[in-house]
Amino acid sequence: MLLPRIYVPSTSPEDWKRLLAEPDRQWRPEYSAWAVAHAWEAAGGLPPEIVGLVRETPFFAGASPELLCAFPEYTVDLPGGRRPSQNDVFALLRVGPNTAGMAVEGKVEESFGPTLGEWLDGASDGKRQRLSYLRDLLGLHLEPLPSTLRYQLLHRTASAIIEASRFKTDAAIMVVQSFSDKATSKDDFLQFVDLLRGQMQDKGLAEIKLPNGLPLFVG
């Protein structure tokens, strides 16, 4: 599927609404799309909690990230099947002497969607091809992968890596921007980081070693 590569600037959160697959259902305060759009527009760029996460990551040596450009509801093609990975935001950052491509997944009270076991139930050849690609990209060669792993975390992180590589940035970042004080899906996220052999930090982003050598940071 050929995805559009021409974008226009936004003037308000309402400009984000038309990009949704189901705008009438998804455009509500209890949904992440609404929350992400209002947070980014209110900040006039990078929300302060994301600025803090990046700045406190040792790789970036205390530099404050500068937003170069941000793309709401940004889709990234993946092998196998016709559905791309749709990011709430993809952003290009300048952080001191480095650049980074960042995928953002917003969450209010939503889960990370189906587990890998649920997603693979009756899987087509296309799904198996996609999973093989994601495993190679992320260096996940454990057999078998936990059936409780959330599939969305795999393809959202892959989006960050694919686009960071395409734009030739110095690092890839995947951030879950949470708008909940209940930490509803934190255990799912921590399972994912542990599987990638990353170490969560008290502050900043966890660093992951990728087979292609690109630094990956998640948080």
Side-chain angles (χ1 to χ4, degrees):
M1 180 174 64
L2 184 63
L3 300 175
R5 285 291 177 247
I6 298 174
Y7 302 90
V8 294
S10 70
T11 58
S12 74
E14 291 297 318
D15 290 324
W16 299 46
K17 179 180 177 180
R18 65 182 177 81
L19 302 172
L20 296 170
E22 300 178 79
D24 291 335
R25 183 182 69 85
Q26 295 170 293
W27 195 248
R28 300 176 186 177
E30 63 267 27
Y31 283 90
S32 58
W34 188 97
V36 168
H38 282 77
W40 282 67
E41 290 284 345
L46 279 176
E49 60 271 25
I50 294 180
V51 171
L53 269 179
V54 176
R55 188 173 54 219
E56 292 165 351
T57 301
F59 178 87
F60 297 110
S64 289
E66 172 194 357
L67 179 65
L68 301 178
C69 49
F71 307 98
E73 298 300 327
Y74 187 87
T75 52
V76 178
D77 271 336
L78 300 170
R82 292 175 294 176
R83 293 186 63 182
S85 180
Q86 185 156 347
N87 301 265
D88 287 323
V89 182
F90 176 76
L92 291 172
L93 312 179
R94 177 84 183 190
V95 195
N98 297 297
T99 55
M102 180 175 70
V104 177
E105 175 61 30
K107 287 286 178 261
V108 181
E109 298 299 339
E110 310 102 318
S111 74
F112 286 113
T115 64
L116 191 58
E118 292 166 341
W119 183 75
L120 282 172
D121 186 33
S124 63
D125 290 342
K127 279 191 173 185
R128 296 192 182 281
Q129 177 193 359
R130 176 170 293 194
L131 181 58
S132 177
Y133 170 82
L134 294 173
R135 289 176 67 130
D136 288 343
L137 187 68
L138 294 166
L140 290 174
H141 301 301
L142 177 70
E143 289 288 355
L145 289 179
S147 63
T148 54
L149 184 66
R150 297 286 177 170
Y151 168 65
Q152 187 183 66
L153 289 169
L154 291 173
H155 69 80
R156 192 67 73 244
T157 305
S159 292
I161 299 166
I162 291 166
E163 293 302 274
S165 298
R166 194 167 70 88
F167 283 103
K168 294 188 176 181
T169 64
D170 300 300
I173 300 172
M174 194 282 286
V175 167
V176 178
Q177 187 177 10
S178 175
F179 298 91
S180 170
D181 57 3
K182 298 178 182 178
T184 307
S185 298
K186 187 174 182 179
D187 287 345
D188 291 327
F189 180 75
L190 292 177
Q191 179 196 28
F192 177 66
V193 175
D194 184 62
L195 192 66
L196 290 174
R197 300 175 299 282
Q199 295 293 320
M200 290 301 297
Q201 309 297 319
D202 291 335
K203 296 181 178 181
L205 301 158
E207 183 170 2
I208 310 296
K209 304 297 183 183
L210 293 173
N212 66 5
L214 181 72
L216 167 66
F217 300 91
V218 299

Short mmCIF file of all heavy atoms in Angstrom, two decimals, residues 160-218:
data_model
loop_
_atom_site.label_atom_id
_atom_site.label_comp_id
_atom_site.label_asym_id
_atom_site.label_seq_id
_atom_site.Cartn_x
_atom_site.Cartn_y
_atom_site.Cartn_z
N ALA A 160 9.40 2.93 15.13
CA ALA A 160 10.45 3.88 15.50
C ALA A 160 11.78 3.51 14.83
O ALA A 160 12.49 4.38 14.31
CB ALA A 160 10.61 3.90 17.02
N ILE A 161 12.10 2.22 14.82
CA ILE A 161 13.37 1.77 14.25
C ILE A 161 13.38 1.97 12.73
O ILE A 161 14.36 2.48 12.16
CB ILE A 161 13.60 0.29 14.58
CG1 ILE A 161 13.67 0.08 16.10
CG2 ILE A 161 14.89 -0.23 13.92
CD1 ILE A 161 13.56 -1.38 16.52
N ILE A 162 12.30 1.59 12.09
CA ILE A 162 12.22 1.70 10.62
C ILE A 162 12.37 3.16 10.18
O ILE A 162 13.15 3.47 9.27
CB ILE A 162 10.88 1.13 10.12
CG1 ILE A 162 10.84 -0.39 10.32
CG2 ILE A 162 10.65 1.47 8.65
CD1 ILE A 162 9.45 -0.98 10.18
N GLU A 163 11.64 4.05 10.82
CA GLU A 163 11.67 5.45 10.39
C GLU A 163 12.95 6.15 10.83
O GLU A 163 13.47 7.01 10.11
CB GLU A 163 10.44 6.18 10.89
CG GLU A 163 9.14 5.68 10.25
CD GLU A 163 9.18 5.80 8.74
OE1 GLU A 163 8.85 6.87 8.20
OE2 GLU A 163 9.54 4.79 8.08
N ALA A 164 13.48 5.81 11.99
CA ALA A 164 14.77 6.38 12.40
C ALA A 164 15.86 5.98 11.41
O ALA A 164 16.72 6.78 11.04
CB ALA A 164 15.14 5.92 13.81
N SER A 165 15.81 4.74 10.94
CA SER A 165 16.78 4.27 9.95
C SER A 165 16.55 4.98 8.62
O SER A 165 17.51 5.36 7.93
CB SER A 165 16.66 2.76 9.77
OG SER A 165 16.94 2.07 10.97
N ARG A 166 15.30 5.16 8.23
CA ARG A 166 14.99 5.78 6.94
C ARG A 166 15.45 7.24 6.91
O ARG A 166 15.94 7.72 5.90
CB ARG A 166 13.48 5.69 6.67
CG ARG A 166 13.09 6.00 5.24
CD ARG A 166 11.65 5.58 4.97
NE ARG A 166 10.70 6.43 5.67
CZ ARG A 166 10.21 7.56 5.15
NH1 ARG A 166 10.60 7.98 3.96
NH2 ARG A 166 9.33 8.26 5.82
N PHE A 167 15.29 7.93 8.04
CA PHE A 167 15.73 9.32 8.13
C PHE A 167 17.20 9.45 8.53
O PHE A 167 17.72 10.56 8.67
CB PHE A 167 14.86 10.08 9.13
CG PHE A 167 13.50 10.46 8.60
CD1 PHE A 167 12.37 9.75 8.97
CD2 PHE A 167 13.35 11.53 7.73
CE1 PHE A 167 11.11 10.10 8.49
CE2 PHE A 167 12.10 11.89 7.25
CZ PHE A 167 10.97 11.17 7.62
N LYS A 168 17.86 8.31 8.76
CA LYS A 168 19.28 8.27 9.12
C LYS A 168 19.56 9.08 10.39
O LYS A 168 20.52 9.84 10.46
CB LYS A 168 20.15 8.75 7.97
CG LYS A 168 20.11 7.83 6.76
CD LYS A 168 21.13 8.23 5.71
CE LYS A 168 21.13 7.22 4.56
NZ LYS A 168 22.13 7.55 3.52
N THR A 169 18.72 8.90 11.40
CA THR A 169 18.96 9.56 12.68
C THR A 169 19.96 8.73 13.51
O THR A 169 20.29 7.60 13.18
CB THR A 169 17.66 9.73 13.47
OG1 THR A 169 17.12 8.44 13.79
CG2 THR A 169 16.63 10.53 12.68
N ASP A 170 20.42 9.32 14.59
CA ASP A 170 21.42 8.67 15.44
C ASP A 170 20.81 7.71 16.44
O ASP A 170 21.53 6.91 17.06
CB ASP A 170 22.23 9.74 16.20
CG ASP A 170 22.95 10.68 15.26
OD1 ASP A 170 23.77 10.21 14.46
OD2 ASP A 170 22.67 11.91 15.31
N ALA A 171 19.50 7.77 16.65
CA ALA A 171 18.85 6.90 17.62
C ALA A 171 17.36 6.79 17.29
O ALA A 171 16.80 7.63 16.58
CB ALA A 171 19.01 7.47 19.04
N ALA A 172 16.75 5.73 17.80
CA ALA A 172 15.31 5.53 17.72
C ALA A 172 14.74 5.56 19.13
O ALA A 172 15.38 5.07 20.08
CB ALA A 172 14.98 4.20 17.04
N ILE A 173 13.54 6.12 19.27
CA ILE A 173 12.88 6.21 20.57
C ILE A 173 11.43 5.75 20.42
O ILE A 173 10.76 6.12 19.45
CB ILE A 173 12.89 7.65 21.12
CG1 ILE A 173 14.31 8.16 21.29
CG2 ILE A 173 12.13 7.74 22.44
CD1 ILE A 173 14.39 9.65 21.64
N MET A 174 10.96 4.94 21.37
CA MET A 174 9.53 4.62 21.45
C MET A 174 9.05 4.99 22.84
O MET A 174 9.58 4.49 23.84
CB MET A 174 9.27 3.13 21.18
CG MET A 174 7.79 2.80 20.92
SD MET A 174 6.75 2.74 22.40
CE MET A 174 7.26 1.18 23.12
N VAL A 175 8.07 5.87 22.89
CA VAL A 175 7.55 6.36 24.17
C VAL A 175 6.06 6.05 24.28
O VAL A 175 5.31 6.27 23.33
CB VAL A 175 7.78 7.88 24.31
CG1 VAL A 175 6.97 8.45 25.46
CG2 VAL A 175 9.25 8.18 24.52
N VAL A 176 5.66 5.54 25.41
CA VAL A 176 4.24 5.42 25.74
C VAL A 176 3.87 6.64 26.56
O VAL A 176 4.38 6.83 27.67
CB VAL A 176 3.95 4.13 26.54
CG1 VAL A 176 2.46 4.06 26.89
CG2 VAL A 176 4.36 2.90 25.74
N GLN A 177 3.02 7.49 26.01
CA GLN A 177 2.59 8.70 26.70
C GLN A 177 1.30 8.40 27.43
O GLN A 177 0.24 8.29 26.83
CB GLN A 177 2.41 9.86 25.72
CG GLN A 177 2.13 11.19 26.40
CD GLN A 177 2.03 12.34 25.41
OE1 GLN A 177 1.98 12.14 24.21
NE2 GLN A 177 1.97 13.55 25.93
N SER A 178 1.39 8.25 28.75
CA SER A 178 0.24 7.84 29.55
C SER A 178 -0.49 9.04 30.14
O SER A 178 0.14 9.98 30.62
CB SER A 178 0.70 6.92 30.68
OG SER A 178 -0.39 6.61 31.52
N PHE A 179 -1.81 8.97 30.10
CA PHE A 179 -2.65 10.01 30.69
C PHE A 179 -3.47 9.45 31.85
O PHE A 179 -4.49 10.00 32.23
CB PHE A 179 -3.58 10.59 29.62
CG PHE A 179 -2.83 11.24 28.49
CD1 PHE A 179 -2.48 10.51 27.37
CD2 PHE A 179 -2.44 12.57 28.57
CE1 PHE A 179 -1.76 11.11 26.33
CE2 PHE A 179 -1.73 13.17 27.54
CZ PHE A 179 -1.39 12.43 26.42
N SER A 180 -3.00 8.34 32.40
CA SER A 180 -3.69 7.67 33.50
C SER A 180 -2.79 7.63 34.73
O SER A 180 -1.58 7.48 34.61
CB SER A 180 -4.06 6.24 33.09
OG SER A 180 -4.52 5.50 34.21
N ASP A 181 -3.39 7.74 35.90
CA ASP A 181 -2.60 7.60 37.14
C ASP A 181 -2.71 6.18 37.70
O ASP A 181 -2.25 5.91 38.80
CB ASP A 181 -3.04 8.63 38.18
CG ASP A 181 -4.52 8.52 38.52
OD1 ASP A 181 -5.20 7.61 37.98
OD2 ASP A 181 -5.01 9.35 39.32
N LYS A 182 -3.31 5.27 36.93
CA LYS A 182 -3.52 3.91 37.41
C LYS A 182 -2.46 2.92 36.92
O LYS A 182 -2.43 1.78 37.37
CB LYS A 182 -4.90 3.41 36.98
CG LYS A 182 -6.05 4.23 37.56
CD LYS A 182 -7.39 3.70 37.06
CE LYS A 182 -8.55 4.53 37.58
NZ LYS A 182 -9.86 4.06 37.06
N ALA A 183 -1.60 3.35 36.00
CA ALA A 183 -0.57 2.46 35.43
C ALA A 183 -1.17 1.14 34.98
O ALA A 183 -0.65 0.06 35.26
CB ALA A 183 0.54 2.24 36.46
N THR A 184 -2.29 1.24 34.25
CA THR A 184 -3.07 0.07 33.89
C THR A 184 -2.27 -1.00 33.17
O THR A 184 -2.40 -2.19 33.43
CB THR A 184 -4.27 0.49 33.01
OG1 THR A 184 -4.99 1.53 33.68
CG2 THR A 184 -5.20 -0.68 32.73
N SER A 185 -1.42 -0.58 32.23
CA SER A 185 -0.70 -1.54 31.39
C SER A 185 0.80 -1.55 31.65
O SER A 185 1.58 -2.01 30.81
CB SER A 185 -0.97 -1.23 29.91
OG SER A 185 -2.34 -1.36 29.62
N LYS A 186 1.21 -1.06 32.81
CA LYS A 186 2.64 -0.96 33.08
C LYS A 186 3.32 -2.33 33.09
O LYS A 186 4.44 -2.48 32.59
CB LYS A 186 2.89 -0.25 34.40
CG LYS A 186 4.36 0.05 34.65
CD LYS A 186 4.57 0.89 35.90
CE LYS A 186 6.05 1.21 36.10
NZ LYS A 186 6.28 2.05 37.30
N ASP A 187 2.66 -3.34 33.63
CA ASP A 187 3.26 -4.67 33.68
C ASP A 187 3.51 -5.22 32.28
O ASP A 187 4.53 -5.88 32.03
CB ASP A 187 2.37 -5.64 34.47
CG ASP A 187 2.40 -5.38 35.96
OD1 ASP A 187 3.31 -4.65 36.42
OD2 ASP A 187 1.51 -5.89 36.67
N ASP A 188 2.59 -4.95 31.35
CA ASP A 188 2.79 -5.37 29.96
C ASP A 188 4.01 -4.70 29.37
O ASP A 188 4.80 -5.32 28.64
CB ASP A 188 1.56 -5.03 29.11
CG ASP A 188 0.35 -5.88 29.48
OD1 ASP A 188 0.53 -7.05 29.86
OD2 ASP A 188 -0.78 -5.37 29.38
N PHE A 189 4.17 -3.41 29.66
CA PHE A 189 5.31 -2.67 29.13
C PHE A 189 6.62 -3.19 29.73
O PHE A 189 7.61 -3.39 29.01
CB PHE A 189 5.16 -1.18 29.43
CG PHE A 189 6.30 -0.35 28.93
CD1 PHE A 189 6.43 -0.07 27.57
CD2 PHE A 189 7.25 0.15 29.79
CE1 PHE A 189 7.48 0.69 27.10
CE2 PHE A 189 8.31 0.90 29.33
CZ PHE A 189 8.42 1.19 27.99
N LEU A 190 6.63 -3.45 31.03
CA LEU A 190 7.85 -3.93 31.68
C LEU A 190 8.23 -5.33 31.18
O LEU A 190 9.42 -5.63 31.04
CB LEU A 190 7.65 -3.96 33.20
CG LEU A 190 7.52 -2.58 33.87
CD1 LEU A 190 7.25 -2.74 35.37
CD2 LEU A 190 8.78 -1.75 33.65
N GLN A 191 7.24 -6.17 30.89
CA GLN A 191 7.53 -7.48 30.30
C GLN A 191 8.23 -7.32 28.96
O GLN A 191 9.19 -8.03 28.65
CB GLN A 191 6.25 -8.28 30.11
CG GLN A 191 6.49 -9.66 29.49
CD GLN A 191 5.23 -10.32 28.94
OE1 GLN A 191 4.28 -9.62 28.55
NE2 GLN A 191 5.20 -11.64 28.91
N PHE A 192 7.76 -6.37 28.18
CA PHE A 192 8.34 -6.11 26.87
C PHE A 192 9.79 -5.63 26.99
O PHE A 192 10.69 -6.11 26.29
CB PHE A 192 7.49 -5.06 26.15
CG PHE A 192 8.01 -4.63 24.82
CD1 PHE A 192 8.08 -5.52 23.75
CD2 PHE A 192 8.44 -3.32 24.62
CE1 PHE A 192 8.56 -5.12 22.52
CE2 PHE A 192 8.91 -2.91 23.39
CZ PHE A 192 8.98 -3.81 22.34
N VAL A 193 10.04 -4.68 27.89
CA VAL A 193 11.40 -4.16 28.08
C VAL A 193 12.33 -5.28 28.56
O VAL A 193 13.47 -5.40 28.09
CB VAL A 193 11.40 -2.99 29.09
CG1 VAL A 193 12.83 -2.53 29.39
CG2 VAL A 193 10.58 -1.83 28.54
N ASP A 194 11.85 -6.11 29.46
CA ASP A 194 12.66 -7.22 29.97
C ASP A 194 13.00 -8.20 28.84
O ASP A 194 14.13 -8.71 28.77
CB ASP A 194 11.91 -7.93 31.09
CG ASP A 194 12.74 -9.04 31.73
OD1 ASP A 194 13.80 -8.71 32.30
OD2 ASP A 194 12.33 -10.21 31.67
N LEU A 195 12.04 -8.45 27.97
CA LEU A 195 12.27 -9.36 26.85
C LEU A 195 13.34 -8.82 25.92
O LEU A 195 14.14 -9.58 25.34
CB LEU A 195 10.96 -9.57 26.09
CG LEU A 195 10.92 -10.70 25.07
CD1 LEU A 195 11.03 -12.06 25.77
CD2 LEU A 195 9.64 -10.64 24.26
N LEU A 196 13.39 -7.50 25.77
CA LEU A 196 14.39 -6.87 24.91
C LEU A 196 15.73 -6.68 25.63
O LEU A 196 16.65 -6.09 25.08
CB LEU A 196 13.88 -5.50 24.44
CG LEU A 196 12.73 -5.51 23.44
CD1 LEU A 196 12.24 -4.09 23.18
CD2 LEU A 196 13.14 -6.16 22.13
N ARG A 197 15.81 -7.18 26.87
CA ARG A 197 17.02 -7.10 27.67
C ARG A 197 17.40 -5.64 27.98
O ARG A 197 18.58 -5.29 28.04
CB ARG A 197 18.19 -7.82 26.99
CG ARG A 197 17.91 -9.31 26.75
CD ARG A 197 19.03 -9.98 25.96
NE ARG A 197 19.18 -9.35 24.64
CZ ARG A 197 18.39 -9.59 23.60
NH1 ARG A 197 17.37 -10.42 23.73
NH2 ARG A 197 18.61 -9.00 22.45
N GLY A 198 16.38 -4.84 28.16
CA GLY A 198 16.62 -3.45 28.54
C GLY A 198 16.50 -3.27 30.04
O GLY A 198 15.88 -4.08 30.73
N GLN A 199 17.11 -2.23 30.55
CA GLN A 199 17.04 -1.94 31.98
C GLN A 199 16.29 -0.62 32.18
O GLN A 199 16.73 0.43 31.74
CB GLN A 199 18.46 -1.80 32.56
CG GLN A 199 19.27 -3.09 32.51
CD GLN A 199 18.70 -4.15 33.44
OE1 GLN A 199 18.27 -3.84 34.56
NE2 GLN A 199 18.71 -5.39 33.00
N MET A 200 15.13 -0.72 32.84
CA MET A 200 14.39 0.50 33.14
C MET A 200 15.18 1.35 34.13
O MET A 200 15.84 0.83 35.03
CB MET A 200 13.02 0.16 33.72
CG MET A 200 12.05 -0.46 32.71
SD MET A 200 11.74 0.60 31.28
CE MET A 200 10.97 2.02 32.06
N GLN A 201 15.11 2.66 33.94
CA GLN A 201 15.82 3.60 34.79
C GLN A 201 14.85 4.33 35.71
O GLN A 201 13.66 4.45 35.41
CB GLN A 201 16.56 4.62 33.92
CG GLN A 201 17.42 4.02 32.82
CD GLN A 201 18.54 3.17 33.35
OE1 GLN A 201 19.19 3.52 34.34
NE2 GLN A 201 18.79 2.03 32.70
N ASP A 202 15.37 4.81 36.85
CA ASP A 202 14.53 5.65 37.71
C ASP A 202 14.13 6.92 36.96
O ASP A 202 13.04 7.45 37.13
CB ASP A 202 15.29 6.03 38.98
CG ASP A 202 15.50 4.83 39.89
OD1 ASP A 202 14.70 3.87 39.81
OD2 ASP A 202 16.46 4.84 40.68
N LYS A 203 15.05 7.41 36.13
CA LYS A 203 14.79 8.56 35.28
C LYS A 203 15.29 8.23 33.87
O LYS A 203 16.22 7.47 33.69
CB LYS A 203 15.50 9.80 35.80
CG LYS A 203 15.02 10.27 37.17
CD LYS A 203 15.76 11.52 37.60
CE LYS A 203 15.25 12.03 38.95
NZ LYS A 203 15.96 13.27 39.38
N GLY A 204 14.66 8.83 32.90
CA GLY A 204 15.13 8.63 31.54
C GLY A 204 14.60 7.36 30.90
O GLY A 204 13.74 6.65 31.44
N LEU A 205 15.13 7.07 29.73
CA LEU A 205 14.68 5.95 28.91
C LEU A 205 15.60 4.76 29.03
O LEU A 205 16.81 4.90 29.25
CB LEU A 205 14.63 6.40 27.44
CG LEU A 205 13.72 7.59 27.13
CD1 LEU A 205 14.16 8.27 25.84
CD2 LEU A 205 12.27 7.13 27.02
N ALA A 206 15.04 3.56 28.89
CA ALA A 206 15.84 2.34 28.89
C ALA A 206 16.49 2.16 27.52
O ALA A 206 15.86 2.39 26.48
CB ALA A 206 14.97 1.13 29.21
N GLU A 207 17.75 1.74 27.50
CA GLU A 207 18.46 1.53 26.23
C GLU A 207 18.41 0.06 25.84
O GLU A 207 18.60 -0.83 26.68
CB GLU A 207 19.91 1.99 26.33
CG GLU A 207 20.66 1.85 25.00
CD GLU A 207 22.03 2.51 25.00
OE1 GLU A 207 22.43 3.05 26.04
OE2 GLU A 207 22.68 2.48 23.93
N ILE A 208 18.15 -0.18 24.56
CA ILE A 208 18.06 -1.53 24.01
C ILE A 208 19.12 -1.69 22.93
O ILE A 208 19.32 -0.80 22.11
CB ILE A 208 16.66 -1.78 23.38
CG1 ILE A 208 15.53 -1.37 24.33
CG2 ILE A 208 16.54 -3.22 22.91
CD1 ILE A 208 15.44 -2.17 25.60
N LYS A 209 19.81 -2.83 22.93
CA LYS A 209 20.79 -3.13 21.89
C LYS A 209 20.09 -3.84 20.74
O LYS A 209 19.46 -4.89 20.93
CB LYS A 209 21.90 -4.01 22.44
CG LYS A 209 22.63 -3.44 23.66
CD LYS A 209 23.35 -2.14 23.33
CE LYS A 209 24.14 -1.63 24.55
NZ LYS A 209 24.79 -0.33 24.29
N LEU A 210 20.18 -3.26 19.55
CA LEU A 210 19.55 -3.84 18.37
C LEU A 210 20.58 -4.54 17.47
O LEU A 210 21.75 -4.15 17.43
CB LEU A 210 18.87 -2.75 17.55
CG LEU A 210 17.67 -2.05 18.18
CD1 LEU A 210 17.22 -0.89 17.31
CD2 LEU A 210 16.52 -3.05 18.39
N PRO A 211 20.15 -5.54 16.70
CA PRO A 211 21.08 -6.23 15.80
C PRO A 211 21.71 -5.29 14.78
O PRO A 211 22.87 -5.50 14.38
CB PRO A 211 20.16 -7.26 15.10
CG PRO A 211 19.06 -7.52 16.05
CD PRO A 211 18.82 -6.19 16.73
N ASN A 212 20.98 -4.25 14.34
CA ASN A 212 21.55 -3.36 13.31
C ASN A 212 22.45 -2.27 13.89
O ASN A 212 22.98 -1.44 13.15
CB ASN A 212 20.42 -2.73 12.47
CG ASN A 212 19.53 -1.78 13.27
OD1 ASN A 212 19.77 -1.49 14.43
ND2 ASN A 212 18.49 -1.27 12.62
N GLY A 213 22.62 -2.26 15.22
CA GLY A 213 23.53 -1.31 15.84
C GLY A 213 22.94 0.05 16.17
O GLY A 213 23.57 0.87 16.83
N LEU A 214 21.71 0.32 15.73
CA LEU A 214 21.07 1.59 16.03
C LEU A 214 20.67 1.64 17.49
O LEU A 214 20.00 0.72 17.98
CB LEU A 214 19.83 1.77 15.15
CG LEU A 214 19.05 3.08 15.32
CD1 LEU A 214 19.82 4.25 14.72
CD2 LEU A 214 17.67 2.97 14.67
N PRO A 215 21.05 2.67 18.24
CA PRO A 215 20.59 2.78 19.63
C PRO A 215 19.07 2.96 19.69
O PRO A 215 18.51 3.80 18.99
CB PRO A 215 21.30 4.03 20.15
CG PRO A 215 22.47 4.24 19.23
CD PRO A 215 21.99 3.75 17.89
N LEU A 216 18.42 2.14 20.51
CA LEU A 216 16.97 2.23 20.71
C LEU A 216 16.71 2.55 22.17
O LEU A 216 17.29 1.93 23.08
CB LEU A 216 16.30 0.90 20.35
CG LEU A 216 14.83 0.74 20.78
CD1 LEU A 216 13.92 1.71 20.03
CD2 LEU A 216 14.36 -0.70 20.58
N PHE A 217 15.79 3.49 22.41
CA PHE A 217 15.41 3.87 23.76
C PHE A 217 13.90 3.80 23.91
O PHE A 217 13.16 4.22 23.01
CB PHE A 217 15.91 5.30 24.05
CG PHE A 217 17.39 5.44 23.95
CD1 PHE A 217 17.98 5.80 22.75
CD2 PHE A 217 18.22 5.17 25.03
CE1 PHE A 217 19.36 5.89 22.62
CE2 PHE A 217 19.60 5.27 24.93
CZ PHE A 217 20.17 5.64 23.72
N VAL A 218 13.46 3.21 25.02
CA VAL A 218 12.03 3.06 25.26
C VAL A 218 11.70 3.54 26.67
O VAL A 218 12.52 3.46 27.59
CB VAL A 218 11.56 1.61 25.08
CG1 VAL A 218 11.82 1.13 23.66
CG2 VAL A 218 12.23 0.67 26.08
#
